[in-house]
Amino acid sequence: MTDIKVTPLGAGQDVGRSCILLQMGGKNIMLDCGMHMGYNDERRFPDFSYIADGNLTESLDCVIISHFHLDHCGALPFMTEMVGYSGPIYMTHPTKAIAPILLEDMRKVAVERKGETNFFTSAHIKDCMKKVIAVTLHQTVQVDSEIEIKAYYAGHVLGAAMFHVKVGNQSVVYTGDYNMTPDRHLGAAWIDKCRPNILISESTYATTIRDSKRCRERDFLKKVHDCVDRGGKVLIPVFALGRAQELCILLETYWERMNLKAPIYFAVGLTEKANNYYKMFITWTNQKIRKTFVQRNMFDFKHIRPFDKSYADTPGPMVVFATPGMLHAGLSLQLFKKWAPNENNMLIMPGYCVSGTVGAKVLSGAKKVETENRQVIEVKMSVQYMSFSAHADAKGIMQLIQYCEPQNVLLVHGEGVKMEFLKQKIQQEYGIDCYMPANGESAYIPCKPVVPVDVSLSLLKKEMALYDTVGAPDPKRPCRMHGVLVMKDNVLRLMEPEKAFGELGLNRHAIRFTSCLQLRLPGSASRAMDQIQLILNSQNTNYPVKPSEEGVLNLESVSIKMESTDKEDRKSMMISWALQDEDLATWIMSSLRQVIV
Amino acid sequence: MAVLKKRALAEYSQVVQEEACSKPLQLMKKPRLSSLQLEDELVADTLERLETNDDLVAYLNYIQRKLPFHADDKVVLMRKLIETYHRSEQSHIRLKIIGIVGDFRKIPKFDIQLIINEVIKLLSMETSHKVCASMISVLSKLGNLLVCDSPLLNKIINIGMQLLNNSSHLVKCHCLSLLGGLSNTTNLQGENVKHICKFTKSQDPRVRTAAYDALLRLHDRGQKLELCVYTDVCSALQDDNENVRQSAMRIVWVLSHTYPESCVMIPGCQDEVHLVDDAFAKLCQAIGDLSVNVRTLAAELLGSMVNVNPHFLEQTLDKKLMSDMRRKRSAHERHWETVTSGEWASGARWADDKPRENLDAESVSLIHSGACGAFVHGLEDEFLEVRSASLDSLCQLALSNPRFATLSLDFLVDMFNDEIEEVRLKAIDCMTKISHLIVLREDQLEIILGVLEDSNVEIREGLHRMLGACRLSTKACLKICVQTLLDNLKRYSQDKRSIWRCLQSLGSSHPNLTLLLVPELLTVHPFFDMPEADVEDPSYVCVLLLVFNAAQFCPQILSLFEEHIRRHYRYLRDTISNFVPRLQLAGVEDMETQLDFDTNTNYFLQNVMSRLNQPTSTNQIKVWDAACNDLIRLAQIDSNLAHGVELLATQLECHILIAKVMNSPAWIDSSSLNAQDGDVVKNLIDQLQRCSLRLQYMFSNLSTEEKLLIQSTRLQAMAIQLVYIVRASNTSALALSDHFVSRVEALKGYGNLPSFAGCIVKEISRLEDTKPGVLSRILLPILQAHIYVAPFCLPAKAFKVNAEILEPTGESDNPQKFLAGFVLGVVLDAEIQCLAHPEYLRVRVKYPDLNAQLIIPQESHLKTIKQYAQSELNENITVVPEHRLRTSVLVSHQVWTESSHIELSLVLDVTEPEVPSALKRWRGFSEDSFIIELCKPVRVLVSPKPIKRGI
């Protein structure tokens, strides 16, 4: 059972509904439990029946949630409350704080607006959150006697984390979504050289290398500034959390720096609640915010105020952030309708739009847009696309691999074709295996079995001291350790011989072998010894030959003695060695034979 | 108490059954040293009397603090210490003793060999690793004091070699650093290097780091590292420990400077590259390292590798972009294309970053081979340390490679938008430094000018400096530049001077572009007379400055001037003459030519000098007085000579005062004359003190002789004061004479002292006893012999410190209100030229009740204005060091009935160097005798209001 089995229930060669089943060392761990935003039927949730029918608690040891985006945590209440799971769930503190807000919002949209039934309720969300155990960065959490998890910073959104899961000697790193370039409010993902067996990485931008973000930011700011200077209104449709905060910080600091007076509005909604959490979790943000929050918390916006519907008709310049991000409904669409006909105004789309939405149409350059009630809007305002994305690009993914040095890589959360490219690159440049299982498909990753042996400290120190006194360190010299391997209670231990014998209550016996060699060497016995010493020294640098008194040469436990026989040039050489130096003795014998005999 | 007791019981109940609970909290007693009679000299016997270890440690600490002392029985003390060492069983006491024994080296003339021998003896018996390590570090420190090839040094090195095999990492590390610091660097074989190299393979990262550091140390001491180390060191760049990586990087860097030209094989193919290029690529890779410290170091080191192949250099700014496997162009490239195609960004093209050609999957290399994109990553890093180090390096490299400078321009401009101000400022500074290598395009300029709206003064002024230094490509560039500067002036009127300066240099460096713009800027029309602009209008003044400064290099502009502009020229030339150059205008010749003729100042000066250096006449004081007045006037007339002449005048003033004091009989005898005469002398002496202090502290950029002359004059002034105090007053002069002697001793080392100082030094060194009475008896004849002897010469290069308060202007009639007893911050903005002693600069606030406060400005508020290489045109301008103080002066007072003026001024407070602590309480000085005023005070109207209660 040394293979690790990874089965994506979602996000296998696909984006959305991240849910990955990890089997390792006899433990079952679920990484993320997301929902698919594109479906309205049961396909939006992972197929939990794959794991077990009915209650999951017995078949799952723990669930780990990487961050609060719904495609990573959306199915959690469904799983815990409706399918049934009462085991431990782990997520970071900010995720635990913000995830229920998003879940509640989604529930409202699904149940109250779309009128769906058989959906989880507010109470379900609350109950679900009660089961969550919050973890801190770099804190090692012992799930049970064998599973150990540790969270690393992942950038992406507030509270996003990568998880290092360890069972016995095997370990896996799951990245969730991560970002290797810092942005205005978050830092870059970071992990130490933990050398896991598998790195399960997202690969949204597997085939993209992005430009520097500074250009994009500057363009964005300049465009907004120009428009405001013209007296125009700027509409920025955003999704509630994540990028919106980044853009807010960006505009806020720019307003501060440039001493601008035009108002910036933020459409009220769940964002205000979330902003409070952003203010609280300062330690999760980037260097600048962390450094300056004593003077002023960057999320205490000075220039950004909540939006009121009546402001829409106020004359004069303003900047408004409004939800939703794709202009398909809600406030952003209303404002768009109002402002589109004026060429002074501007629309900035900071993210991707699904085709069919108003946003997508406008972006593709349509000058006239039809909305749901056959109303035609003339688009005269200028339309800009600015991509602010918080996923690692291909270079970032490669960098992460370089950081943590895994033995295998497994790609999820991306399109299959793109993964193929990245897979090839990883294999080519790092020479390690790369897997990309589809949903429901299991990848078996073979792992070399490792047998851990406990070495007693005193033994280690003793042997180290021996090694140290020999001379300068030399990585090529083998270093032998003399001890007794004891197997007891399924644990292997290397002990000092005396101790082991003491424990076992046995007497220690030493075996020595002695052999005699007839050599033909002229001169006296002591001269012959010198000659042998010379030969041995010239061939063997690892073990210094120590001559001792009475004409005996010592190498480790091997001792060589020379005796003259009656004949002049014939000497008999006695070699004696202990069992542990059998190899050395054989080597000495053979080399002496070659040279002298 | 009860709670404490409870807690103590709760925690320890399971461990110990306490017999007596009367004292639940046991505070550790501070060892009382007074009982040991430490007041008297260090008694070696004390060591034996100490019983407890705590006492011993405290006493040892005391000894260490006392070092270096002048006790006679130093050797005895050391013997006792070593005896104690043998007695003590606890390693921390032995550690302490070793530390103290090592510190004995600080005692002058102590026998170092003795210490070394003792320590070596102890070392052979020591068992504790920590103590061993400390002994080795002591030996290494002592070894540094030995001569190069003493046998003892070899002994130390041998010990270091032997102990390398010790099992403790600490001992190993110290041995390595000992070897690095002491071993002989002259032998070419480098046996020591080889041995140390072996330890770079140690299993302990700390030992590895120490080994690399020792190699670096050897290199610093002149041992050439061998090339064969390179491959090993490169593999250490992948080490797991970040300290090892850092040290290895330093070695790679060192090697790249030692063997830049030798070739290195690229693994995997047959090509060879130069070592410097290979090392550069390796360091570039380290910019993507896991650890911030490594990244910062990498970014720092890159900057000095200027001789790297330009091809590699350019790669650092290149990051192959792609999107969905298709090649994509970076925003910089796109921008460049829109500019070159002559078409302006129309806005609504969201797909203009759409990917172009398909890439071959095989050809894309994701792991940066070589230097690819290193700076792009470095400038985008999460940590400002890395970003600012990258900026520095980028700038340094750009300075040596103009092509790279042009490439890096876009990236520097991008950094103007960094989130951290420090980095933004640094980006602007970098740009200023390389500005002579680049020509700004219009689109780039537009982005840069956008930053002028920044609300931070520093950023704006930095940008003004940068614009002043840069080169613009077209007329349109200059036009938007001027326009934005004028907008800037409208928004932030306090930038006036900075903008003037910027336009001044813009004008003089772009005369031909300005020529094209003159009609537009001055609204000159061929047929119509346009309305005359108001010369008080700041933006009009700006335009005029640009045009005038351009006109000095482009005479055609002169012909475009209309009558009112000529008038304005004359006006501005008078009011802000340092911004307006002299122009050859037809109409104003008569006035200007006066200045153009030889103004005879040199002749006049020589005249004065010769009069001064004539043999002494009977009415020498009158001659000097006249000369002094002449010089002061001369300083006002000729700005070129002003600083030196003022120095001369001040010196002369001192000597006049000296002569006056010594001619008055009341100086040495108070009894004979009336009180009035006594006051006169006292005043004169006081004046002399101030004058000599001014002489000493206000001038800089002097040669040694000039400095000594000034010192001598100051000494003379002090001597006069001393003699006066001894002879004519009844105050104690003990401290004063000590101070005087210490001043004289400081002069001892110099060779050719001026005659007065020379005499004094000679006499004093002969003296056994420096009591005031004896001193004054010796001083008197010397002083009298030197009344009129003072060789005068003109220190032509001298600078005089000069301050100007720009803000507050003192013109505002609106009182600044604040609550009485609370603090008001008054913004102070001042320029200080030639400030040689920034540490003595103070802001003085004088309240109407004659209270004065000296405020030490925060160090960060006083900035040196960077002087960059001036363009060829302004070569004749001497660059004077300049400081800028921008701070907020905290003012506070109790309630006043009405608003009143407080006075702010900048002063030098030289109490610290001039008044030794023994003299602090001496009342012979008047309160502000050690304060030198730098500028006229500025008046600010403030009004502290009473606190309203009961709201």
Side-chain angles (χ1 to χ4, degrees), chain A residues 421-580:
Chain A
F421 162 78
L422 193 64
K423 176 182 168 181
Q424 211 184 345
K425 285 289 143 196
I426 291 170
Q427 284 168 345
Q428 191 179 318
E429 290 182 25
Y430 290 112
I432 54 180
D433 264 340
C434 185
Y435 302 84
M436 36 176 282
N439 281 342
E441 196 178 277
S442 295
Y444 293 89
I445 292 107
C447 291
K448 272 189 198 144
V450 178
V451 183
V453 176
D454 291 342
V455 184
S456 82
L457 189 65
S458 57
L459 176 65
L460 194 66
K461 275 195 172 160
K462 213 166 83 189
E463 296 289 330
M464 277 261 288
L466 278 179
Y467 174 80
D468 273 324
T469 46
V470 172
D474 180 2
K476 284 179 192 144
R477 181 157 56 92
C479 180
R480 224 180 269 161
M481 207 159 161
H482 302 283
V484 176
L485 199 63
V486 178
M487 213 165 128
K488 201 177 172 189
D489 307 331
N490 249 344
V491 180
L492 281 177
R493 281 186 301 162
L494 193 63
M495 296 169 75
E496 287 160 290
E498 293 79 21
K499 232 183 183 175
F501 285 117
E503 221 167 90
L504 296 172
L506 291 174
N507 287 328
R508 190 178 172 194
H509 295 275
I511 305 174
R512 269 190 100 78
F513 300 90
T514 313
S515 173
C516 212
L517 254 143
Q518 295 293 325
L519 300 176
R520 198 167 305 206
L521 274 172
S524 69
S526 62
R527 246 193 84 203
M529 282 302 276
D530 290 345
Q531 217 171 339
I532 288 172
Q533 188 179 349
L534 264 177
I535 294 165
L536 288 177
N537 270 337
S538 68
Q539 297 201 344
N540 168 15
T541 47
N542 289 343
Y543 305 102
V545 184
K546 293 178 215 146
S548 66
E549 314 89 60
E550 299 141 23
V552 180
L553 281 183
N554 282 321
L555 267 104
E556 304 277 297
S557 69
V558 185
S559 52
I560 305 171
K561 203 173 162 193
M562 187 74 71
E563 268 176 14
S564 307
T565 45
D566 354 331
K567 285 180 192 166
E568 260 175 39
D569 53 347
R570 277 196 169 271
K571 310 269 182 323
S572 74
M573 187 176 77
M574 307 250 288
I575 302 183
S576 137
W577 66 91
L579 181 62
Q580 72 260 30

Side-chain angles (χ1 to χ4, degrees), chain A residues 184 190-191 195 207 209 211-214 218 257-258 287 363 418 424-425 429-430 464 468, chain B residues 172 203 240 290 319 322 324 331 350 361-362 364 366-367 379-380 384 414 417-418 454-455 491:
Chain A
R184 288 281 165 164
W190 188 88
I191 196 164
R195 301 198 170 101
T207 55
I209 299 176
D211 194 2
S212 135
K213 68 181 169 117
R214 292 184 189 282
R218 199 189 57 214
R257 266 176 60 199
M258 296 300 178
Q287 193 189 18
L363 272 182
K418 296 181 180 177
Q424 211 184 345
K425 285 289 143 196
E429 290 182 25
Y430 290 112
M464 277 261 288
D468 273 324
Chain B
K172 277 185 190 169
Q203 55 185 346
D240 274 9
L290 201 60
K319 185 179 169 190
M322 63 174 190
D324 288 356
W350 78 284
E362 292 297 313
V364 183
L366 285 180
I367 280 309
L379 293 176
E380 251 190 355
L384 80 107
D414 278 352
N417 198 20
D418 195 90
D454 203 301
S455 59
R491 260 175 102 109

Side-chain angles (χ1 to χ4, degrees), chain A residues 153 181-184 187-188 190-193 195 206-215 217-218 221-223 225 229 254 256-260 286-288 290-291 363-365 367 383-385 393-395 398-399 402-403 405 418 421-422 424-425 428-430 464-465 467-473 475, chain B residues 165-167 172 195 198-199 201-203 238-240 245 288-291 295 319-325 329-332 347-350 361-368 372 376-377 379-385 387 410 413-420 424 446-447 450-451 453-456 491-492:
Chain A
Y153 192 73
T181 44
D183 64 29
R184 288 281 165 164
W190 188 88
I191 196 164
D192 56 27
K193 245 180 217 183
R195 301 198 170 101
T207 55
T208 303
I209 299 176
R210 269 195 316 236
D211 194 2
S212 135
K213 68 181 169 117
R214 292 184 189 282
C215 272
E217 284 176 3
R218 199 189 57 214
L221 293 171
K222 193 165 185 309
K223 277 170 184 158
H225 191 172
D229 269 357
Y254 188 76
E256 187 94 23
R257 266 176 60 199
M258 296 300 178
N259 214 351
L260 297 181
N286 71 6
Q287 193 189 18
K288 157 95 177 170
R290 264 182 294 149
K291 273 194 161 179
L363 272 182
S364 57
K367 285 291 156 206
V383 177
Q384 302 290 345
Y385 175 75
D393 63 359
K395 239 179 158 168
M398 297 300 263
Q399 201 174 24
Q402 202 180 355
Y403 280 0
E405 294 185 3
K418 296 181 180 177
F421 162 78
L422 193 64
Q424 211 184 345
K425 285 289 143 196
Q428 191 179 318
E429 290 182 25
Y430 290 112
M464 277 261 288
Y467 174 80
D468 273 324
T469 46
V470 172
Chain B
N165 294 338
N166 194 297
S167 58
K172 277 185 190 169
H195 197 67
K198 283 184 190 156
F199 281 85
K201 296 281 195 317
S202 166
Q203 55 185 346
Q238 313 299 327
D239 200 284
D240 274 9
R245 292 203 295 268
D289 195 272
L290 201 60
S291 141
R295 292 204 295 266
K319 185 179 169 190
K320 299 264 176 297
L321 301 184
M322 63 174 190
S323 170
D324 288 356
M325 290 308 299
R329 288 154 325 128
S330 74
H332 289 146
R349 296 178 313 178
W350 78 284
E362 292 297 313
S363 70
V364 183
S365 165
L366 285 180
I367 280 309
H368 19 267
C372 212
V376 181
H377 287 291
L379 293 176
E380 251 190 355
D381 198 274
E382 184 182 355
F383 292 93
L384 80 107
E385 293 86 353
R387 293 202 298 269
D410 280 326
V413 173
D414 278 352
M415 293 305 285
F416 284 15
N417 198 20
D418 195 90
E419 54 194 347
I420 297 206
R424 294 203 292 269
E446 236 179 310
I447 297 163
V451 186
E453 291 186 35
D454 203 301
S455 59
N456 185 320
R491 260 175 102 109
Y492 305 101

Side-chain angles (χ1 to χ4, degrees), chain A residues 27 183 378 419 472 495 500 588:
Chain A
K27 298 282 175 183
D183 64 29
E378 212 176 341
M419 281 182 182
M495 296 169 75
I588 290 173

Side-chain angles (χ1 to χ4, degrees), chain A residues 358-388:
Chain A
V358 178
K361 280 181 209 159
V362 175
L363 272 182
S364 57
K367 285 291 156 206
K368 281 185 183 156
V369 178
E370 211 182 274
T371 54
E372 65 268 35
N373 40 11
R374 305 260 165 242
Q375 196 185 353
V376 176
I377 311 167
E378 212 176 341
V379 185
K380 281 190 181 163
M381 75 198 304
S382 74
V383 177
Q384 302 290 345
Y385 175 75
M386 292 278 157
S387 130
F388 285 88

